[in-house]
C-alpha cells in the first residue's frame, strides 16, 4: 500500500476568518455564535465531540461522545460511570473536548475540570431519552469484556419484560459529567495553513484573557 497518496491529501481553507478584535469577551458567548451558525448550517451531528481523558498514570484515551447541554458553568455529556472513561475521570478529573465542524472549517478545543452533574439533572435527562436507550443503559456493562452480542440482546429482552408498564429508574451507575472550562481555543481554517487560533484562558480573578496563537 502506498503511503505517498495519504501525504498528498490536503484541503485549502478559505471560508471564514477570526480576529481577536471581533470575538466575544466570554468564550461561552463566542461558542454561542459558532454553535448557532452550525445549527443554521444543518451540520450532521453538530453535537458530536471528541472527549479526551487520562488515568492517574498518564494513560490517554479519546472517543466521540455527544454534547447534551452547555451554559456558563460548562459542557455536559452523559455516560456510564463504571465505563473506562468514568474510571479515568474518577482518577483524574480533567478532560479535553474537541468539536470539528468541517463544513465551516472550524474546531473548538475546551480544556477543563470535571464534575458530576446533580442527580436531578441526570434524572431529567435520563427520563427524556427514548425507551430503548433507557433500557440500554441498564443492559450494557459498558467497557467490560463480553462473550457475544447475544448477551446484550438477551439482557435487553429480559429488562424490557421486567420494566413493561413501569417507569424505568435511572441506574445509579449512569449520569452526567460537566467539563468546567479553564481554556477554550477557537480554530478557523485559513489559506496556506496560516490558520486563525484564538485562545481564552481563565485567570485567577475569574476573567478571561484572550490571545492569538500561531498556527
Amino acid at each position: 500500500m502506498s503511503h505517498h497518496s495519504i501525504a498528498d491529501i490536503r484541503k485549502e481553507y478559505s471560508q471564514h476568518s477570526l480576529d481577536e478584535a471581533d470575538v466575544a469577551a466570554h468564550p461561552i458567548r463566542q461558542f454561542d455564535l459558532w454553535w448557532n451558525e452550525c445549527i443554521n448550517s444543518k451540520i450532521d451531528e453538530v453535537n458530536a465531540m471528541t472527549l479526551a481523558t487520562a488515568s492517574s498514570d498518564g494513560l490517554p484515551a479519546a472517543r466521540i461522545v455527544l454534547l447534551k447541554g452547555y451554559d456558563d458553568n460548562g459542557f455536559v455529556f452523559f455516560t456510564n460511570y463504571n465505563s473506562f472513561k468514568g474510571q479515568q475521570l474518577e482518577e483524574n478529573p480533567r478532560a479535553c473536548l474537541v468539536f470539528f465542524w468541517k463544513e465551516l472549517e472550524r474546531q473548538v478545543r475546551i480544556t477543563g475540570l470535571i464534575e458530576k452533574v446533580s442527580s436531578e439533572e441526570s434524572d431529567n435527562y435520563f427520563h427524556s431519552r427514548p425507551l430503548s436507550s433507557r433500557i440500554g443503559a441498564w443492559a450494557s456493562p459498558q467497557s467490560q469484556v463480553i462473550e457475544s452480542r447475544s448477551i446484550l440482546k438477551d439482557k435487553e429482552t429480559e429488562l424490557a419484560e421486567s420494566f413493561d408498564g413501569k417507569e424505568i429508574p435511572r441506574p445509579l451507575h449512569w449520569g452526567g459529567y460537566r467539563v468546567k472550562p479553564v481554556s477554550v481555543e477557537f480554530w478557523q481554517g485559513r489559506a496556506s495553513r496560516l490558520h486563525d487560533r484564538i485562545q481564552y484562558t481563565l485567570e485567577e480573578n475569574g476573567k478571561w484573557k484572550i490571545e492569538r496563537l500561531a498556527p
Side-chain angles (χ1 to χ4, degrees), residues 124-137:
N124 288 340
Y125 175 68
F126 182 80
H127 292 300
S128 75
R129 304 178 87 205
L131 175 63
S132 59
S133 296
R134 281 176 279 156
I135 292 175

Side-chain angles (χ1 to χ4, degrees), residues 51-72:
L51 166 67
T53 58
S55 55
S56 58
D57 61 2
L59 178 69
R63 74 292 285 164
I64 302 297
V65 298
L66 299 177
L67 177 72
K68 289 301 178 179
Y70 74 91
D71 56 23
D72 286 357

Side-chain angles (χ1 to χ4, degrees), residues 48-52 64 96-100 107-110:
M49 58 187 184
T50 299
L51 166 67
I64 302 297
C96 184
L97 304 173
V98 179
F99 293 89
F100 177 48
Q107 292 185 62
V108 181
R109 181 172 55 161
I110 300 153

Side-chain angles (χ1 to χ4, degrees), residues 175-190:
Y177 289 103
R178 177 176 290 106
V179 180
K180 299 173 66 67
V182 296
S183 175
V184 183
E185 180 191 320
F186 294 86
W187 179 100
Q188 178 66 62
R190 297 295 302 275

Side-chain angles (χ1 to χ4, degrees), residues 24-38:
H26 194 287
I28 301 300
R29 302 289 81 75
Q30 184 62 35
F31 188 86
D32 280 335
L33 294 171
W34 277 19
W35 178 261
N36 288 327
E37 287 188 43
C38 287

Side-chain angles (χ1 to χ4, degrees), residues 2 8 15 71 93 100 142 146 151 166 191 195 215:
S2 171
D8 285 342
Q15 288 192 44
D71 56 23
F100 177 48
Q142 193 174 123
I146 57 175
I151 291 175
K166 303 175 184 177
H195 311 302

